[in-house]
Amino acid sequence: MPAASAEPARVGSNRSNRRQHRRVLFSLPFTVQHLVSGLGIRSTRGISLDISCGGMGAIVQGSLRVGEAVVIELPTPSMVFKTPAIVRHTSSVRSGFEFLALQEGERQQLSAISGAA
């Protein structure tokens, strides 16, 4: 049975209210590496909520900043997905990440997970 689509509308954006990539519910633990001022690179844990070829939504321990560059390490059933990303939104409840510089194998894996063409 295919996973349910999770496509919240973007409010207050100049972009279309439709996402560029279809998101599906997807829940796995992962780690985020990010630079903490005065402390250096730190790892924090999270759990993914939804995923697409363009990014993912998640719950993350600790605080992130919008625009912050991070590295996400997400172990999927067939590979460990490790990619740079940008924090696009964050709150006490949820954070959103945009994936950057995906390799072809990673893009294919995400397409298989999200059911994208």
Side-chain angles (χ1 to χ4, degrees), residues 33-94:
Q33 294 178 340
H34 59 113
L35 184 62
V36 177
S37 182
L39 299 175
I41 296 175
R42 296 290 182 240
S43 289
T44 190
R45 295 176 190 257
I47 188 157
S48 64
L49 298 173
D50 56 56
I51 197 163
S52 76
C53 289
M56 75 178 195
I59 298 170
V60 180
Q61 293 177 334
S63 60
L64 298 171
R65 296 180 319 274
V66 171
E68 180 176 17
V70 299
V71 174
I72 293 175
E73 188 170 327
L74 177 72
T76 68
S78 62
M79 67 185 276
V80 175
F81 177 72
K82 187 173 182 178
T83 190
I86 297 290
V87 178
R88 290 299 180 198
H89 66 84
T90 190
S91 72
S92 61
V93 178
R94 179 184 174 110

Side-chain angles (χ1 to χ4, degrees), residues 12-29:
S13 172
N14 290 334
R15 298 171 121 188
S16 166
N17 283 341
R18 302 280 302 163
R19 291 190 180 276
Q20 183 177 359
H21 301 282
R22 180 175 172 264
R23 286 200 176 199
V24 295
L25 299 177
F26 185 77
S27 183
L28 281 178

